Amino acid sequence: MIERSGAGPLRRLVVLRHAKSSWPLDVADHERPLAPRGRRDAPAAGRVLADADLLPDLALCSTAVRARRTWDLAAAEWGTPPPVRHDRRIYAAGPSGLLAVVHEVPAEVETLLLIGHNPGVEELVLALADDGLDDTLERVRTKFPTSAIAVLSWRGTAWRDLAPGTALLTSVIVPRGAKKQSGGRA
């Protein structure tokens, strides 16, 4: 169990798996675009983050097209998006690689958004969470689908202090955008 009254400010790592992508022929994995569902779900993720008061001070985003587009659509839902750093290391990274990128975040950032890919982001959430509220850990273990958001809270003076087993998984949200109704024929 993590110590709820640790030293330093309360920090939040918000992990967002990119929205649903398409699989066009002859397109490299890094260049795959969002599918129609992904183009609906990414703005819904942005709205959920705003409604839950989870707007980040900084975003770290994979350089893959589907992750960058997820960021663009989610951030468009906010009045003033925070700075974003597109980092090639996030693409195809495992939990230790993702954590290395997080460790470089400046100490003044209290809420950090990380947009990446499975299985790395799911494994990172499970590695960092010593405990979870309600059924959050089980939900991530069962499935961390596209557009899923995991919120990890911890106390520390610097991001380099975040380590496996030191965070509390406070929520897991899977936003879905509504399909537009097509006009029916009479």
Side-chain angles (χ1 to χ4, degrees), residues 24-112:
L25 296 175
D26 300 323
V27 173
D29 183 71
H30 189 271
E31 304 308 312
R32 288 192 296 119
L34 291 180
R37 188 179 95 198
R39 291 191 300 271
R40 290 190 307 269
D41 292 349
R47 289 188 297 274
V48 163
L49 291 172
D51 292 347
D53 195 27
L54 290 170
L55 295 183
D57 301 313
L58 174 69
L60 300 176
C61 183
S62 164
T63 56
V65 169
R66 60 195 179 273
R68 289 192 332 250
R69 188 69 178 133
T70 298
W71 161 254
D72 291 342
L73 292 169
E77 297 294 317
W78 310 330
T80 304
V84 60
R85 294 183 188 165
H86 294 93
D87 193 320
R88 178 86 181 188
R89 296 174 296 169
I90 296 170
Y91 175 72
S96 62
L98 292 170
L99 190 55
V101 174
V102 168
H103 281 168
E104 296 172 5
V105 170
E108 60 269 13
V109 172
E110 291 185 359
T111 299
L112 174 66

Side-chain angles (χ1 to χ4, degrees), residues 78-174:
W78 310 330
T80 304
V84 60
R85 294 183 188 165
H86 294 93
D87 193 320
R88 178 86 181 188
R89 296 174 296 169
I90 296 170
Y91 175 72
S96 62
L98 292 170
L99 190 55
V101 174
V102 168
H103 281 168
E104 296 172 5
V105 170
E108 60 269 13
V109 172
E110 291 185 359
T111 299
L112 174 66
L113 174 63
L114 174 67
I115 303 170
H117 311 267
N118 257 7
V121 291
E122 177 181 330
E123 293 170 354
L124 177 68
V125 170
L126 293 173
L128 293 175
D130 177 57
D131 198 2
L133 298 181
D134 302 321
D135 64 345
T136 53
L137 279 170
E138 187 56 36
R139 289 180 59 204
V140 173
R141 284 185 192 111
T142 301
K143 186 175 185 182
F144 196 66
T146 55
S147 298
I149 299 167
V151 181
L152 295 148
S153 295
W154 65 286
R155 289 196 180 274
T157 56
W159 284 94
R160 69 179 173 275
D161 298 331
L162 180 59
T166 61
L168 174 68
L169 182 59
T170 59
S171 65
V172 176
I173 309 158
V174 183

